[in-house]
Each structure stands twice: as structure tokens, then as C-alpha cells.
Amino acid sequence: DDLGHQEGGRSLASLESLLPHVTKRAREVFACLATASLESESSSSSSSSSSAGSGGGVEERTLLDRCRAMMGLTDIQALRGLLREFRDHGVVREGSKRGTLVIDCSREVLKEFVEKRNGTGRENEKQTKHAPS
């Protein structure tokens, strides 16, 4: 079952179960962090790391800059507040370097989450293939 708890962190089902319980802005910040995490992993190492949470994470300032551009968020305290629920549930934690954020799930789960949110994931392909004509 690919939606169950996986070694290396949270499962996709675990991430998705939390999303309805946070605000839209918190979901947007989390999605931004997820995308930034995947991008930083891709650029920082060409070796295949199995866990998104194993790297150094995304700097809070970098995330704030992205959120400023996407949704007008300008304050680091507001950013931290929007991520509080994810921290409280152990989904987001501080990285190995102070001021960095890490999502506690495998790279594969994170990638699937981002693809599903963007409408480009395998789940959507399955729905398209099996849609009645």
C-alpha cells in the first residue's frame, strides 16, 4: 500500500489528512516549501537521496522570498505561524542548519504530493485513462 506510513517519513495519506485542517494560506506555504525542497534536492546533489528530509532543507528566508512573490507574504513570523500546524504534527521540522526547514517524508512522496497538487501526477493519469467516454 503506497499510501501507508513509509520508511523515511510521512506517507502521502498522512500529509493529505492534515491539509483540510489548516488554512488555505498555510496549504499554499506548505506547497511552496514542498516545491522548494524538491528543487533544492535536485540542484544540490546529483546522487540519489531517498529521503527529502535527509538534506539540509530550505532556508526560511528563501521560502519567505518565494511566498512573497507567490502570495504577498512579507513577514518571517507570519511564515512561521502558517507552518506551526505542520511543525506540531511533525511534518515540518528544523533542518540540520539553523533557519532551515525540512519536510519529513521521502523524496518520492514529496514529488507525488507536488504533482498531485499541480494536476500532473500519476493519480490524474489513472483518472483520465479510466474516465467513461
Side-chain angles (χ1 to χ4, degrees), residues 31 35 38 111-121 124:
T35 301
L38 287 172
K111 187 173 186 234
E112 191 172 348
F113 168 80
V114 169
E115 288 174 348
K116 193 171 182 182
R117 180 170 168 81
N118 294 338
T120 59
N124 291 329

Side-chain angles (χ1 to χ4, degrees), residues 11-79:
S11 67
L12 183 60
S14 175
L15 291 177
E16 290 179 334
S17 69
L18 180 58
L19 294 177
H21 303 286
V22 298
T23 66
K24 180 181 181 218
R25 284 180 64 87
R27 286 191 299 270
E28 290 171 349
V29 169
F30 182 77
C32 194
L33 175 58
T35 301
S37 296
L38 287 172
E39 289 171 3
S40 77
E41 291 238 334
S42 296
S43 65
S44 70
S45 100
S46 48
S47 64
S48 60
S49 171
S50 63
S51 175
S54 66
V58 175
E59 291 186 17
E60 283 183 327
R61 289 284 170 198
T62 301
L63 181 60
L64 182 60
D65 289 344
R66 284 173 168 254
C67 290
R68 181 179 295 121
M70 288 181 58
M71 51 194 275
L73 188 66
T74 59
D75 181 73
I76 196 78
Q77 293 305 321
L79 175 74

